[in-house]
Amino acid sequence: MTPTQPPGTTPRFDGYGVLITGAGRGIGAATAHRFASEGAHVLVTDLDGARAARTAEAIRESAPVRAAGGTAEALACDVADQDAVEAAVARAVAAFPTLDVLVNNAYACSTDVPLFEDESDESWQRDLDVSLTGPYRCARAALPHLVASGRGAIVNIGSVNGEQDFGNHGYSAAKAGLASLTRTLAGHAGPRGVRVNLIAPGTIRTDAWAGKDAQLARAAALYPLGRVGEAEDIASAVAFLASRDASWITGTTLRVDGGLTSSNYGFHQAVSDA
């Protein structure tokens, strides 16, 4: 659900410049829409440039976005390519008055193999290159501009996979590394006025789960809140961490997981006499 701005108030991200990776669909697209609906100028980047363009167009056509004065542009960007990352940051800096927020959302997640020893170097390296080194590249390129804005924030999209075993070895290792990078970068960037935080989502209903309604239903039963997450749940959390409402929060991991990692609800249900 897109928030509506109370009459006569200034949108929360009025005039902000926001760069989001992997924003052509899913969490990234919902986050781009959320920022634009609160007045931000958003650069929607995605490995698939056509997909990014469609998302940006849909955002521009949104009535809440038009009412808030938000904008959206699109650019193809592979975060595994340093030149592409630098081009995306340069585009945002040229297009917007300031670059204030970087959302590192792009990821790669290889399919699990039956045995750990069967995993290939190629799939392992791809997961790390996109999901961990990609955010490193983006943060490195964007940081001087985030410092210059005076209100800079980086929000990394991690995963509960970085905290517990849910499979996908390379992806999980990358997300655990991203949580560590978040903490160390927060310590480095904090004195320069830039906050760095991470969101660890649980199961989110996105295109990655298309055609898997039965699996999602089984997963929902394991969540204390009784449902899987929606992309908008994560977008809301990203907007909070990027806003001045979170001005004294940095270096933290915010779990947005329906309570999955707070208790072993599935085990409790399995052994309960009720």
Side-chain angles (χ1 to χ4, degrees):
M1 179 180 295
T2 301
T4 56
Q5 200 69 34
T9 62
T10 301
R12 181 163 56 160
F13 295 107
D14 181 47
Y16 276 57
V18 180
L19 169 60
I20 307 175
T21 66
R25 61 184 177 181
I27 290 171
T31 301
H33 197 281
R34 179 61 182 259
F35 275 109
S37 71
E38 295 197 49
H41 307 297
V42 181
L43 181 59
V44 176
T45 74
D46 197 274
L47 182 63
D48 185 332
R51 187 164 60 203
R54 290 192 296 271
T55 296
E57 182 179 8
I59 291 171
R60 290 193 297 269
E61 292 177 350
S62 165
V65 170
R66 293 198 302 270
T71 65
E73 300 185 18
L75 184 70
C77 178
D78 179 0
V79 300
D81 181 337
Q82 181 64 42
D83 289 341
V85 167
E86 291 178 358
V89 171
R91 171 74 172 273
V93 170
F96 307 145
T98 54
L99 177 58
D100 305 284
V101 179
L102 168 66
V103 181
N104 283 312
N105 173 69
Y107 74 94
C109 182
S110 300
T111 303
D112 267 338
V113 293
L115 295 174
F116 177 79
E117 56 266 34
D118 293 333
E119 186 152 3
S120 69
D121 281 358
E122 290 75 20
S123 63
W124 174 271
Q125 188 58 51
R126 178 64 178 171
D127 286 1
L128 265 66
D129 200 24
V130 175
S131 302
L132 176 57
T133 309
Y136 161 76
R137 293 186 184 100
C138 292
R140 183 174 61 183
L143 189 56
H145 306 287
L146 298 173
V147 170
S149 83
R151 56 188 182 189
I154 298 174
V155 183
N156 295 320
I157 305 302
S159 173
V160 294
N161 283 56
E163 302 187 15
Q164 293 184 13
D165 174 24
F166 295 102
N168 303 106
H169 306 294
Y171 171 80
S172 299
K175 293 301 189 180
L178 186 57
S180 177
L181 176 62
T182 297
R183 294 188 293 270
T184 58
L185 184 54
H188 173 80
R192 295 197 281 167
V194 177
R195 297 180 300 103
V196 188
N197 292 290
L198 179 139
I199 291 170
T203 306
I204 305 298
R205 190 191 311 275
T206 65
D207 290 349
W209 290 93
K212 299 179 179 179
D213 291 344
Q215 290 94 321
L216 285 177
R218 290 196 296 271
L222 301 176
Y223 281 81
L225 290 183
R227 67 173 177 90
V228 298
E230 304 294 338
E232 290 76 14
D233 292 322
I234 307 305
S236 296
V238 174
F240 164 67
L241 286 177
S243 76
R244 293 189 183 277
D245 292 334
S247 63
W248 210 47
I249 300 175
T250 196
T252 195
T253 290
L254 174 61
R255 297 174 182 172
V256 186
D257 67 354
L260 180 67
T261 56
S262 67
S263 67
N264 197 327
Y265 182 71
F267 179 82
H268 174 75
Q269 292 297 102
V271 301
S272 175
D273 292 330

